[in-house]
Amino acid sequence: MSMSEIMPVGINSLLTIFVIFLFFYYFDIFFLRRGKILLTVAGLLVFTIWEFFIIHIIKTIPLYVNIFVTIGITIFTVSVVYKGSFWSKCFFSIAFDAIWMLLETLSNYILIIYCEVYASSQPIGSLVSKILFLLVIFALKKVFTNDEIKELPMKYSILLVLIPMGSIYIMNNIFMLGYQVNSIHEKLYSVLAVFILLSMDILIFYIYYKLTDDLLLRRMTAVYEQQLELCERHQEERELSMLQMRDAKHNMKNNFVTILAYAEKGECRKIIDFVNDVLDESGIKISTIVNSGNIVIDSLIGYWYVVAKHMNIKFTTDVNIPMLLPFKGADLSLILGNILENAVEAASKESGNKYIHIRMKYDKNNLLIFLANNYKGKLIKTKDKKLKSTKIDSGNHGIGLSSVERVVSKYHGVLTVDDSTPKRFLIRIVLYGNSE
């Protein structure tokens, strides 16, 4: 094989390696790798073969077939290499290919306008586009690397995918038009159009993050509203109980006179009936299961105790905490509200002995929470061993353990789930108060 034949193969191999680097550099921003070597090798093999031979294949197949195959292979490779929802992978894969194709078109126009002598060199054009893409990915990494990547519901992902898909369609039509009209002004207008499309495709990342943040904010707001309502209800019950005790104290003298009169006559039955009547009329029903003085914790545990009682669930507590804690009430509300709701729902499905036991302890500025309950059926887990919601409307029903984990991490705490014992679900949470 002569040097003239070896050189193109060597250059193409180096460009393919550069593409693989760009692939990982881009998708590592948004997803976590599976860590499965065989799947990673299989996905990269398909991706590498396509990228290596595309310069030979591109001339033999229609343009739109090439585009769809490229997008399909990218989605396939991302799906086997990375974790995450399928629609999120589709969105970021199509955005990846759209930006890359726009940069290839842009680099081609730049070479035609400013360096026409190199415009016909495919390796130079390919290298320029990849360098530009590297700069774009570097900028994205700087902007978004510190944000937690969240997933959008399927309908939003599908709508957002239409933007890069549309830019690919418009770009190809602009390229074909500029190719047919050999005018420097038309090429400048085409460059401007490519810049606008490229800006739109990059802006879509900002839109994606704003949508996910807005969705998370709405879900958290709904949870906070629910917990605040519980706290208000708890406060009203305490105030009502105090008023009832005050009235009972006011009438106590008269009641004692009546009881004494019955006692002197030896009418015990009438004493019992009289006391029961007084209790029924006053409405004094003290059923507070926890009375730590912390209104957030007392109200939440008290509310779910009542709910559990109505479902014939044995609800026991062991709470030893002070009135004041170095944690935000909204954070405690979110943690307890979610885990208690999940526990009640899971235990209610059990046909036999239903139980929930919560233990809370405050020690050396740290809060420890243990919650155990039984459940019926089988726990559903994702591929990364995280629990998956079994609720029908899991997308809009609360924010689940993922938000509990987020709040726990805020205090540099630890959340562990133990399902090693059959039919028993145990969750342990530790919050470190000195980390705030």
Side-chain angles (χ1 to χ4, degrees):
M1 184 179 288
S2 62
M3 184 60 67
S4 60
E5 294 175 334
I6 296 176
M7 185 68 71
V9 175
I11 293 174
N12 194 25
S13 299
L14 292 175
L15 290 174
T16 303
I17 294 172
F18 195 7
V19 170
I20 296 173
F21 167 76
L22 293 176
F23 176 88
F24 281 115
Y25 194 45
Y26 172 86
F27 286 104
D28 282 350
I29 301 174
F30 310 108
F31 302 106
L32 294 174
R33 299 187 194 180
R34 292 185 185 274
K36 297 182 179 180
I37 298 176
L38 290 178
L39 282 177
T40 302
V41 171
L44 284 179
L45 185 62
V46 174
F47 185 80
T48 303
I49 291 173
W50 175 255
E51 291 300 326
F52 184 82
F53 291 103
I54 192 172
I55 59 172
H56 307 293
I57 301 173
I58 195 171
K59 299 176 182 179
T60 61
I61 60 175
L63 181 61
Y64 286 103
V65 174
N66 169 40
I67 292 173
F68 282 115
V69 172
T70 300
I71 293 175
I73 289 177
T74 304
I75 294 174
F76 168 77
T77 307
V78 174
S79 297
V80 298
V81 174
Y82 290 96
K83 304 174 183 177
S85 72
F86 174 74
W87 289 107
S88 294
K89 292 174 182 176
C90 287
F91 167 75
F92 288 109
S93 296
I94 294 174
F96 174 84
D97 288 324
I99 294 174
W100 190 358
M101 293 175 188
L102 284 167
L103 289 172
E104 284 185 337
T105 305
L106 180 63
S107 61
N108 181 64
Y109 280 129
I110 291 174
L111 290 175
I112 291 175
I113 295 172
Y114 297 103
C115 305
E116 192 171 357
V117 66
Y118 300 111
S120 59
S121 175
Q122 192 275 336
I124 293 178
S126 180
L127 179 62
V128 171
S129 67
K130 289 173 177 58
I131 292 174
L132 292 175
F133 198 11
L134 177 62
L135 295 176
V136 171
I137 298 174
F138 180 77
L140 289 174
K141 193 176 182 68
K142 282 291 183 182
V143 174
F144 297 118
T145 189
N146 293 326
D147 289 340
E148 182 181 354
I149 307 302
K150 312 169 194 74
E151 294 180 354
L152 280 178
M154 181 179 66
K155 59 181 179 180
Y156 293 110
S157 297
I158 293 175
L159 290 174
L160 286 178
V161 158
L162 295 177
I163 298 177
M165 289 292 288
S167 67
I168 292 174
Y169 176 80
I170 296 172
M171 173 203 68
N172 281 284
N173 283 279
I174 291 174
F175 180 78
M176 296 303 297
L177 181 62
Y179 183 77
Q180 294 173 2
V181 181
N182 191 14
S183 169
I184 190 65
H185 294 291
E186 296 297 333
K187 287 182 172 57
L188 288 173
Y189 293 144
S190 297
V191 170
L192 179 60
V194 171
F195 264 117
I196 295 173
L197 291 173
L198 184 61
S199 301
M200 288 173 55
D201 283 345
I202 295 176
L203 183 63
I204 198 176
F205 291 98
Y206 177 79
I207 298 172
Y208 183 95
Y209 279 93
K210 281 297 179 183
L211 282 174
T212 55
D213 287 341
D214 179 68
L215 184 63
L216 179 64
L217 181 61
R218 282 191 281 129
R219 289 176 176 176
M220 293 183 68
T221 300
V223 171
Y224 289 153
E225 287 177 352
Q226 180 188 14
Q227 311 309 346
L228 285 173
E229 183 181 345
L230 295 178
C231 292
E232 290 176 1
R233 186 186 305 170
H234 179 74
Q235 184 64 25
E236 290 173 358
E237 290 175 353
R238 290 175 67 92
E239 291 175 357
L240 180 60
S241 178
M242 291 176 64
L243 290 174
Q244 291 171 344
M245 291 295 292
R246 188 181 302 169
D247 291 340
K249 184 178 180 181
H250 178 73
N251 296 324
M252 190 175 295
K253 182 179 180 180
N254 296 328
N255 293 334
F256 280 159
V257 170
T258 304
I259 292 172
L260 181 61
Y262 284 134
E264 289 175 346
K265 295 179 181 180
E267 297 178 345
C268 296
R269 181 74 259 172
K270 289 187 177 181
I271 293 176
I272 294 172
D273 293 339
F274 178 77
V275 172
N276 286 331
D277 290 340
V278 170
L279 291 176
D280 290 338
E281 289 176 4
S282 64
I284 299 176
K285 295 180 181 179
I286 303 174
S287 60
T288 304
I289 189 172
V290 177
N291 192 20
S292 68
N294 188 300
I295 189 171
V296 173
I297 293 175
D298 292 352
S299 61
L300 282 170
I301 295 179
Y303 171 78
W304 288 110
Y305 167 76
V306 174
V307 174
K309 192 175 180 181
H310 289 161
M311 295 181 177
N312 297 320
I313 301 172
K314 183 181 179 183
F315 195 111
T316 57
T317 64
D318 180 12
V319 178
N320 185 17
I321 60 170
M323 181 185 298
L324 299 177
L325 294 170
F327 311 103
K328 291 183 179 179
D331 293 334
L332 293 174
S333 175
L334 190 146
I335 292 173
L336 285 176
N338 272 285
I339 64 175
L340 285 170
E341 180 182 5
N342 292 340
V344 169
E345 181 177 350
S348 65
K349 297 176 182 179
E350 177 62 50
S351 56
N353 181 29
K354 309 174 185 179
Y355 71 87
I356 295 174
H357 178 71
I358 182 169
R359 181 187 173 207
M360 296 181 68
K361 182 181 179 182
Y362 186 70
D363 183 38
K364 296 179 181 179
N365 217 30
N366 303 322
L367 180 63
L368 294 83
I369 304 172
F370 303 88
L371 179 64
N373 63 272
N374 57 348
Y375 65 92
K376 183 179 181 181
K378 186 178 180 181
L379 295 177
I380 301 175
K381 297 184 179 181
T382 60
K383 293 183 178 180
D384 54 349
K385 304 301 181 182
K386 290 188 177 182
L387 290 174
K388 185 177 181 182
S389 175
T390 57
K391 299 182 178 75
I392 295 175
D393 189 17
S394 60
N396 297 312
H397 189 68
I399 48 181
L401 281 181
S402 61
S403 285
V404 175
E405 290 174 347
R406 193 158 32 247
V407 174
V408 170
S409 65
K410 175 180 176 181
Y411 296 97
H412 306 286
V414 179
L415 184 151
T416 58
V417 172
D418 181 4
D419 60 342
S420 57
T421 303
K423 302 303 178 183
R424 188 205 69 171
F425 183 85
L426 174 62
I427 185 169
R428 302 183 183 93
I429 297 174
V430 181
L431 301 181
Y432 299 107
N434 57 1
S435 61
E436 273 281 275

